[in-house]
Amino acid sequence: METKHDFTYTDWILTEIQFEPEELHARETIFTIGNGYLGTRGTFEESHPLALSATFIHGIYDAVPVVYTELANCPDWLPLVVMIDGERFRLDQGKILEYNRKLDLRQGLLSRSLRWRSPSGKTINITFERFASLADHHVLGQRCQLEAVDFHGLIEIQGSINGYPENKGFNHWEGLDQGKIDKGFWFHSRTRTSQIDIGMAARMRISGIEAALQVNTAPGYPSISATFLIEPHQTVTIEKIVTVFTSRDVEQPVAAAQEKLADLADYITLRNANEQAWTEVWDKSDIVIEGDSKAAFAVRYNLFQLLIAAPRDDEKVSIPAKTLSGFGYHGHIFWDTEIFILPFFTFTQPVLARNLLSYRYHSLNGARRKAAHYGYQGAMYAWESAVTGDEVTPRWALLSDFYAEDIRIWCRDREIHISAVIAYAVWYYWRVTGDDEWMRDYGAEIILDTAIFWDSRVEFNSQAERYEIRGVIGADEYHELVHNNTFTNRLVQWHLEKACIIYDWLQRSFPERSAELAEKLQLTAKIRDNWQDIIKKIWILYNPETELIEQCEGFFQLEDINLADYEPRQKSMQAILGIEGANKRQVLKQPDVLMLLYLMRESAEFPYSKKTLQVNWDYYAPRTDISYGSSLGPAIHAILAADLGKTQEAYERFMQAAMVDLEDRRGNTNEGIHGASAGGIWQAVVFGFGGIQFTDNQPVAHPHLPPGWTRLKFKLYWRGKWHEFDLHQELGTGEGRGYHAPTIRGIIFDLDGVLTDTAKYHYLAWQKLADEQGIPFNRQANEALRGISRRASLMLIIGDRRYSEVQIQEMMERKNDYYTQLIQDITSKDLLPGVVSLLDDLRQAGLKIALGSASKNAHVVIEKLGIADKMDAIADGYSVQRPKPAPDLFLFAAQQLGLPAQQCVVFEDAAAGVDAALAAGMWAVGMGPPERVGAAHIILPNLAGMTWEKLQGKFKDIALQKQ
């Protein structure tokens, strides 16, 4: 498990262990859930005064001044208010006693558990849970469980839909109607300009208590409410199901939402269906990394964010640059989707890749209108697009400074390489999938009509006898007006080469379609001859002697720069130098020549070669603002660095990309997920570290795994077949290394008595409580408490004395308060002998490590002991219901590690713990005297001097004895 401030990561689960109000907006982005139809930011159900709540549905754009159109923030399905004797549960008031929020990637489930004390002193446990169903994209589920801790009181619940959502102060919706249904309501609204209708329906169910539901249809804010009395330690469950349709999906969205809701099963059934759908998706798309738990989680997290943004049933929408997770870029679609995101889907979810590319087909008319506007032929794709494909890049950047000059955004006019980039994506989708039908019906028209655009866009320099493309912005946006950008010119040449191939293929394979397109696009023999001429004569600024490529005409004459002179810094070089200052210097926002080499790398087409890459890396990498320029750069640098054998740099760039949102490295995660970076991460793992290359028949791996990665496993779809790669790092050849008898891949440690001796603190806390209650207690009595839960321990101490449940709960809390105070002074010096060296040895050997402790303070203790970063998972007193000797805790730990029970070893110092390990079907190592842990497979006095090799030797002895 790795920690960043208040985050912990296991292979599949992100846990936030305390509420940080100043991180609110970034965390809302990070905890986004979705299902490919919609995305909902991680706003709290009870809301917060500073909340930036949003649910975005694909294709629901509406007009807005200056930026033309934007994804409209849709009516909010989350509101769920809890009132306790008239006081509203909210995190900006009262006191948070316990808090954790979890995003479970494996099943797309977001949950939050709190213990909260109201301003008047009433304590309540609250657990929230939500999902956007991957099994049925129109279904949303919410659950809330309440447990009164120390009061009898009146609880009021109100579940609502907020029909007044805003895009940062701008409301796109006009409420039309709403009404009541059995145990719920329906709601109807419409966007103001685009006139898209939304229909929603909701129902609520309460269990654990008798409560009458009331429906209130206040205009724009329909609600279901209930009021009931709750007793101490009584648990009440509230389930809220919401359905949503728009007029993009069906003619009558309100009726569809009501009909869907009426037919739905209960919450648990819907949640299970969602989990099953996720299991099927992960089966194709998962990447397993062993030996680096932080990277393992980060990769899955980024893939999860792509999977929840990819349209499954709609080929007229695409993934915006910020996915469906934030307001950044207004939900507009860039080249990010085709170049950075698409490969992940092409190789693991080709149906989704097809949807994304089909969007470009359906928006061709917008591209044609843009070409005509600028006086060109064919199709010229918008730099930023929405539904129609028309250009929606804002013409001006409006600054918040009253006296600043507005900044002209030139990308819409000059960053024209996107038309070739889309053709590139079409070509590679076809090459990987062999989807001839799609190429015939969709792809060919995209490639040919954009090729016609290039024929009209290039200029012939008769003096130099060459074609040029002047007045552009290349991939590097620090240079806003350049001529003959090599990235653009070479991609245009490549595009025209492929257009010729596609046209010939169409003529041979589908002559009728070929003739149809030739007529529709006015594709004459003269234009095709022009393509060949451009291919031969377009200017590529490449020096065949040095193999150095000039980024654009005159780039080498610009003022040089040493970025090290500007360190340390926290902002981009353009912010430091100014727009004109960056324009005049050899400083790059992102890879440009190196990006071209990356795109040509897979097929080893000109100008790619290993030597050319080395020469240009040495020149351009030091001049690239890789830390604060573009988020698109680090993943590409990681792949190229891996190609060049720069494994450490490759890993650093990879992690920079992988953690860009989880650690808010650029300070703008609040605006939404960096979608292009997420897609680049998949490419960095598969193409960079996995070294995947393609022959005519199949993909082949040439791995160079980062240090510490002992295993890399993934699947690829290639021409109708699935190929599974299971790549391993050699672990060394010392005697015994690699011998598994049995096969062991995970180690689970108990805490007390194994890693540290907090037993003395437990004893002192119990002793203080017993003294206060007048109950005899000594160290001998304390021995009976080893390995059992707090409640079971208290029951043994009080024996047959009679106490009420309220008193028992109070004593448990009092004991825990004493214990918590005592452990505040724990440090790494309190680790038992041999712990650190064994943990390090196990990690070096590539084993997964978990903590399996009944303690509810386990997180705090291992942080103070300084070993949190050595754990891949934590199972603690909050993880399961049944305590040891039930096997649940260790089974949960194995599940978190992603391992079967029989591949795990448990280190335990208590008889109950050993019994739990054996009941789980795991191997047990007992720590302490045989009379206490004699049932274990191996018994050790302590961990001093223990190594993985010695442990394997002991298991080898067991195996030999069984022969």
Side-chain angles (χ1 to χ4, degrees), residues 54-227:
T55 290
F56 297 109
I57 298 177
H58 269 307
I60 309 301
Y61 288 89
D62 196 46
V64 66
V66 183
V67 296
Y68 306 105
T69 189
E70 67 183 0
L71 271 179
N73 183 7
C74 292
D76 185 7
W77 61 280
L78 290 178
L80 193 59
V81 171
V82 179
M83 306 280 289
I84 301 141
D85 279 341
E87 293 179 303
R88 179 170 175 162
F89 162 66
R90 47 192 292 177
L91 293 191
D92 61 322
Q93 294 181 8
K95 187 176 181 184
I96 303 170
L97 304 177
E98 293 176 10
Y99 174 98
N100 79 59
R101 175 162 51 163
K102 295 183 187 235
L103 177 61
D104 185 338
L105 306 179
R106 201 195 299 264
Q107 52 184 319
L109 196 66
L110 180 63
S111 59
R112 182 166 52 116
S113 299
L114 309 104
R115 174 168 287 199
W116 182 77
R117 187 163 288 148
S118 71
S120 65
K122 298 177 178 67
T123 310
I124 189 167
N125 291 333
I126 306 181
T127 303
F128 292 103
E129 186 177 272
R130 74 176 77 146
F131 66 91
S133 178
L134 199 67
D136 186 332
H137 305 147
H138 301 283
V139 174
L140 307 165
Q142 243 181 326
R143 186 170 72 166
C144 173
Q145 289 186 302
L146 308 173
E147 181 194 12
V149 174
D150 56 9
F151 69 96
H152 308 256
L154 190 68
I155 302 287
E156 184 181 347
I157 301 293
Q158 181 177 293
S160 314
I161 284 176
N162 177 5
Y164 301 101
E166 293 187 348
N167 283 56
K168 298 190 173 178
F170 195 91
N171 182 355
H172 286 283
W173 296 92
E174 185 177 356
L176 297 180
D177 203 359
Q178 58 196 45
K180 299 180 182 182
I181 54 175
D182 181 37
K183 296 180 182 172
F185 57 79
W186 57 269
F187 175 75
H188 185 194
S189 195
R190 179 179 293 156
T191 54
R192 297 182 184 279
T193 306
S194 55
Q195 297 286 289
I196 298 170
D197 285 31
I198 191 168
M200 303 174 79
R203 73 174 190 226
M204 204 157 82
R205 176 175 174 267
I206 296 181
S207 57
I209 202 163
E210 288 293 321
L213 294 172
Q214 258 133 23
V215 179
N216 182 315
T217 52
Y221 211 96
S223 303
I224 314 165
S225 59
T227 306

Side-chain angles (χ1 to χ4, degrees), residues 1-3 751 755-756 758 823-832 835-837 839-840 843 849 851 857-872 874:
M1 181 196 67
E2 295 284 344
T3 307
L751 181 60
L755 301 179
T756 187
T758 60
I823 63 172
Q824 290 309 307
D825 298 329
I826 285 181
T827 69
S828 58
K829 292 177 183 173
D830 292 290
L831 285 165
L832 291 172
V835 168
V836 172
S837 58
L839 290 175
D840 289 344
R843 286 192 81 74
I849 304 172
L851 188 75
N857 298 288
H859 276 279
V860 176
V861 174
I862 67 161
E863 288 284 351
K864 290 185 171 295
L865 290 170
I867 56 170
D869 62 340
K870 300 181 191 298
M871 298 289 164
D872 296 303
I874 292 182

Side-chain angles (χ1 to χ4, degrees), residues 909-921:
D909 77 317
V914 171
D915 290 344
L918 298 176

Side-chain angles (χ1 to χ4, degrees), residues 370 374 376 380 408-417 453-454 457-459 467-476 479-486 488-489 539 551-553 583:
K370 180 176 179 181
Y374 284 96
Y376 301 121
M380 177 188 187
R408 178 74 157 85
I409 300 174
W410 289 106
C411 303
R412 59 185 289 129
D413 310 275
R414 301 173 182 166
E415 202 154 355
I416 59 175
H417 58 77
F453 160 68
W454 291 124
R457 177 63 174 84
V458 300
E459 303 168 39
Y467 288 93
E468 301 183 0
I469 304 178
R470 303 178 64 75
V472 302
I473 299 173
D476 163 33
H479 298 89
E480 291 192 314
L481 178 62
V482 304
H483 306 310
N484 294 303
N485 167 253
T486 305
T488 304
N489 286 18
W539 190 21
Q551 180 170 304
C552 58
E553 192 178 341
N583 262 319

Side-chain angles (χ1 to χ4, degrees), residues 699-763:
V700 178
H702 303 276
H704 17 92
L705 304 188
W709 286 25
T710 54
R711 188 185 192 201
L712 172 61
K713 184 182 174 188
F714 53 87
K715 286 180 181 175
L716 296 179
Y717 178 83
W718 172 259
R719 298 185 181 171
K721 290 183 182 174
W722 285 97
H723 299 263
E724 186 161 326
F725 293 87
D726 197 348
L727 312 175
H728 294 263
Q729 183 109 269
E730 289 303 316
L731 299 179
T733 55
E735 187 181 346
R737 177 79 74 183
Y739 182 90
H740 296 277
T743 300
I744 294 168
R745 294 170 57 206
I747 310 290
I748 303 170
F749 289 99
D750 182 28
L751 181 60
D752 296 342
V754 176
L755 301 179
T756 187
D757 188 9
T758 60
K760 61 186 177 186
Y761 301 118
H762 282 294
Y763 167 67

Side-chain angles (χ1 to χ4, degrees), residues 505-720:
W505 170 78
L506 267 184
Q507 282 194 312
R508 283 194 317 274
S509 306
F510 304 103
E512 287 181 15
R513 176 64 172 158
S514 171
E516 179 191 330
L517 282 179
E519 184 178 348
K520 178 179 180 180
L521 306 179
Q522 298 179 312
L523 180 49
T524 63
K526 182 178 182 297
I527 290 175
R528 296 201 303 279
D529 289 343
N530 286 355
W531 291 353
Q532 295 289 357
D533 201 43
I534 296 166
I535 289 165
K536 285 179 200 157
K537 296 178 184 172
I538 195 164
W539 190 21
I540 308 291
L541 287 81
Y542 168 78
N543 183 330
E545 292 180 13
T546 63
E547 298 190 35
L548 187 62
I549 299 164
E550 191 168 12
Q551 180 170 304
C552 58
E553 192 178 341
F555 185 82
F556 291 153
Q557 278 70 58
L558 298 177
E559 184 184 331
D560 207 354
I561 191 168
N562 180 6
L563 294 186
D565 294 344
Y566 296 85
E567 298 294 347
R569 61 189 171 95
Q570 257 92 45
K571 52 187 178 180
S572 74
M573 289 306 301
Q574 191 181 62
I576 292 169
L577 299 170
I579 292 174
E580 276 311 303
N583 262 319
K584 292 174 182 174
R585 289 176 173 83
Q586 293 186 41
V587 59
L588 284 64
K589 181 178 179 181
Q590 69 189 76
D592 193 300
V593 167
L594 292 178
M595 190 72 204
L596 171 65
L597 291 172
Y598 174 63
L599 293 182
M600 296 298 132
R601 157 189 184 272
E602 195 276 304
S603 52
E605 291 182 75
F606 173 80
Y608 182 85
S609 74
K610 207 68 174 279
K611 187 187 170 193
T612 307
L613 175 58
Q614 184 69 65
V615 167
N616 287 278
W617 173 275
D618 291 345
Y619 192 86
Y620 287 105
R623 293 168 171 81
T624 304
D625 184 3
I626 206 70
S627 49
Y628 294 100
S630 169
S631 63
L632 279 59
I636 301 303
H637 268 212
I639 299 166
L640 298 178
D643 280 358
L644 294 171
K646 301 174 182 290
T647 313
Q648 187 57 38
E649 185 168 358
Y651 182 74
E652 288 169 10
R653 292 286 163 248
F654 161 73
M655 288 304 288
Q656 181 184 343
M659 303 306 292
V660 66
D661 290 313
L662 286 167
E663 294 183 352
D664 195 8
R665 292 204 171 181
R666 303 175 67 85
N668 61 354
T669 296
N670 59 301
E671 295 177 1
I673 291 293
H674 291 81
S677 183
I681 287 156
W682 182 88
Q683 296 185 57
V685 173
V686 173
F687 300 144
F689 300 136
I692 292 294
Q693 294 175 4
F694 299 91
T695 66
D696 286 339
N697 300 317
Q698 62 180 16
V700 178
H702 303 276
H704 17 92
L705 304 188
W709 286 25
T710 54
R711 188 185 192 201
L712 172 61
K713 184 182 174 188
F714 53 87
K715 286 180 181 175
L716 296 179
Y717 178 83
W718 172 259
R719 298 185 181 171

Side-chain angles (χ1 to χ4, degrees), residues 361-393:
Y361 174 80
H362 292 296
S363 58
L364 259 174
N365 284 334
R368 288 168 180 143
R369 287 189 288 271
K370 180 176 179 181
H373 169 78
Y374 284 96
Y376 301 121
Q377 305 299 310
M380 177 188 187
Y381 275 104
W383 181 242
E384 298 181 30
S385 66
V387 171
T388 64
D390 290 283
E391 182 62 74
V392 293
T393 306

